[in-house]
Amino acid sequence: MIDNLPSCPKCSCEYTYAMNALVVCPECGHEWAPAESGAEGGGPAGERVVKDAVGNVLRDGDTVVVKALKAKGSPSGIKAGTKVRGIRLVDGVDGHDIDCRIDGFGAMQLKSSVVKRA
Ligand SMILES: [Zn+2]
């Protein structure tokens, strides 16, 4: 069983169906093995894509710059432009999808919408 069939790479038709190990496009008749199409962009099926505030795709280990943030337990919060190295993408609560350490603050979770890849 193949879930979440990819759209046709030739005509981007969404109504593809699986036949044996191949995916078939009813629009243009293109047949392909979905395992091979993973190489060109769009990672393996099911992989979550986390994007920063301007749409850059973020990956584990990236360095990002945060917007000004209020931080729990800190009266001054985090200054805009603070660099955060070695982020880790997580499936956190309440839309927090970045796990990181910030100098002077320690470990915390951020939303990808408040960072920009450095
Ligand atoms: Zn097609």
Side-chain angles (χ1 to χ4, degrees):
M1 266 303 274
I2 304 171
D3 292 322
N4 296 324
L5 289 172
S7 300
C8 175
K10 288 210 165 165
C11 70
S12 65
C13 167
E14 293 172 13
Y15 304 105
T16 52
Y17 57 93
M19 195 172 67
N20 300 322
L22 296 176
V23 179
V24 183
C25 173
E27 289 287 323
C28 69
H30 183 54
E31 296 178 10
W32 74 102
E36 290 172 5
S37 67
E40 9 179 322
E47 187 178 312
R48 213 160 48 98
V49 175
V50 176
K51 291 181 178 169
D52 70 6
V54 295
N56 293 317
V57 175
L58 297 173
R59 295 196 167 80
D60 285 346
D62 272 353
T63 298
V64 298
V65 176
V66 298
K67 295 185 196 173
L69 288 174
K70 285 182 187 145
K72 265 185 204 156
S74 163
S76 54
I78 297 168
K79 285 203 193 85
T82 300
K83 260 193 185 175
V84 184
R85 290 185 178 80
I87 62 167
R88 214 161 55 83
L89 302 181
V90 295
D91 202 359
V93 289
D94 199 22
H96 291 76
D97 40 21
I98 295 173
D99 196 38
C100 61
R101 279 191 79 83
I102 300 181
D103 290 343
F105 293 92
M108 62 188 308
Q109 294 197 337
L110 300 171
K111 294 183 182 183
S112 54
S113 57
V114 302
V115 307
K116 225 177 87 171
R117 204 172 69 193

